[in-house]
Amino acid sequence: MRVHHLNCGCMCPLGGALMDGASSGPTARLACHCLLIETDRDGLVLVDTGFGMRDVTEPYARLSPLFIHLNRIQFDPRDTALHGVEARGFSRRDVRHIVITHLDFDHAGGIEDFPHATVHVMGDELRAARRREGFIAKRRYRPEQWDEVMEWRTYRAGGERWFGFEAVRDLDGLPPEILMIPLPGHTWGHAGVAVDTPDGWLLNAADTYFVRHEVDRPERECPPGARAYQRMMAMDHELHLHNQDRVRDLAHDEGAGVRIFCSHDPIELEALQRLSASDARSRNAGTRAGQWRGETGAHATG
Ligand SMILES: [Zn+2]
């Protein structure tokens, strides 16, 4: 298994550091952090899809003008999952599965760029997205982004827990290393995705938090703009904050050793991109060393 960290969308809302806690100018910088997983036997798996090619070419046919302008979405074909897949020498057909943390417009936009993929989502999320009840729900859930999906797989939590969290294991057709971790609050069926990688557990906590200091400090530190946006978008704000507390506890549990990231913090994304590049380099060096040992016969195992 190999994990790539992709950015599938940039948003530059007004507010600068009041939104992202870091920018020095008038606008903030938000990413759409997705995973592309090369599995050993089950092809490519995407975890979230950010914005897709059709969002880039026809944004107003697909997205709510409210969010296009509020989030100042920067539509660029290079910031799509399809570009990330093809830039690594694969084709859209190689993506066999998409695991979606939730069906918001900034996570589901690339789904239809991969028509051969089965889409995995919590059942509560698909029901809420199809109902679209209320002002925010009508604008966050955009059926244009997923009404052509041929194969849905929906789930509810159950079975063995994962570090104390409810979990969905054995996703249909996926390797056992990929789990969904329900973290409702932001939406009714919002879930994280945990991946047991060769370098340890990763948890994509999606929109459970927006800025890394909400979970990497002992107490939540969140700039006011990000705080207000999370309150506006939460279907159940108390539940959202409760699950954020649990993710913070996990982040500080050194024994667990889980590397956690959210969808929209670009600093987390860049750190993980650097880390996976250096892991790949050291793995390649390890392989070369192994081959050399094999050639000398010192550790030949056949
Ligand atoms: Zn989001």
Side-chain angles (χ1 to χ4, degrees):
M1 172 185 285
R2 185 169 172 205
V3 178
H4 306 267
H5 294 267
L6 308 184
N7 185 18
C8 303
C10 290
M11 299 184 277
C12 298
L14 290 174
L18 294 175
M19 186 59 90
D20 64 14
S23 291
S24 54
T27 56
R29 198 165 64 97
L30 304 181
C32 294
H33 189 161
C34 303
L35 299 178
L36 175 67
I37 305 172
E38 296 178 44
T39 68
D40 295 336
R41 284 191 300 274
D42 303 300
L44 298 180
V45 179
L46 273 170
V47 178
D48 275 355
T49 63
F51 297 104
M53 285 296 182
R54 295 194 211 173
D55 299 321
V56 170
T57 52
E58 314 180 85
Y60 287 94
R62 310 235 315 159
L63 298 164
S64 156
L66 171 73
F67 287 117
I68 291 176
H69 296 291
L70 181 67
N71 294 0
R72 299 184 72 245
I73 302 166
Q74 311 292 301
F75 295 103
D76 186 331
R78 290 167 300 182
D79 294 331
T80 61
L82 183 61
H83 178 84
V85 165
E86 291 179 342
R88 286 164 179 79
F90 301 108
S91 90
R92 67 174 84 219
R93 281 184 163 272
D94 298 324
V95 175
R96 308 249 291 274
H97 300 275
I98 300 174
V99 185
I100 288 284
T101 61
H102 62 302
L103 285 164
D104 269 354
F105 62 94
D106 52 335
H107 298 255
I111 288 177
E112 290 176 352
D113 288 335
F114 304 96
H116 308 285
T118 299
V119 182
H120 304 257
V121 66
M122 297 302 290
D124 286 345
E125 185 65 12
L126 187 55
R127 280 188 289 278
R130 285 178 170 157
R131 276 200 311 269
R132 301 175 76 213
E133 267 171 19
F135 180 87
I136 293 291
K138 279 191 179 54
R139 287 160 179 79
R140 77 190 313 166
Y141 291 130
R142 309 302 286 179
E144 295 84 350
Q145 292 181 320
W146 35 264
D147 56 3
E148 294 173 16
V149 171
M150 305 289 284
E151 298 278 348
W152 290 104
R153 293 287 185 280
T154 59
Y155 302 93
R156 56 204 289 186
E160 192 192 339
R161 294 172 88 90
W162 177 83
F163 293 106
F165 289 81
E166 287 192 303
V168 182
R169 294 173 187 267
D170 301 321
L171 299 170
D172 191 15
L174 288 167
E177 290 85 359
I178 302 176
L179 283 64
M180 295 187 82
I181 310 298
L183 295 167
H186 178 72
T187 64
W188 294 120
H190 181 272
V193 176
V195 186
D196 192 4
T197 79
D199 307 304
W201 280 105
L202 265 183
L203 174 64
N204 177 347
D207 289 1
T208 304
Y209 67 97
F210 276 62
V211 180
R212 64 204 171 285
H213 296 330
E214 292 184 81
V215 302
D216 70 2
R217 303 258 163 101
E219 301 286 335
R220 182 189 191 203
E221 288 181 25
C222 184
R227 204 176 268 267
Y229 189 77
Q230 288 179 66
R231 185 178 281 276
M232 178 181 84
M233 296 303 285
M235 300 306 288
D236 182 331
H237 192 239
E238 291 301 312
L239 186 57
H240 169 70
L241 292 181
H242 170 68
N243 277 318
Q244 189 183 92
D245 289 345
R246 298 170 69 216
V247 166
R248 185 182 313 102
D249 289 345
L250 182 63
H252 290 273
D253 181 348
E254 283 177 21
V258 180
R259 180 96 196 198
I260 301 172
F261 63 93
C262 68
S263 293
H264 299 305
D265 187 316
I267 311 245
E268 284 182 341
L269 171 66
E270 286 153 13
L272 280 161
Q273 285 174 329
R274 278 194 302 275
L275 195 66
S276 66
S278 71
D279 285 345
R281 275 197 298 278
S282 57
R283 255 195 304 280
N284 289 340
T287 307
R288 277 196 296 279
Q291 282 166 350
W292 177 80
R293 282 198 300 272
E295 282 159 16
T296 63
H299 295 274
T301 54

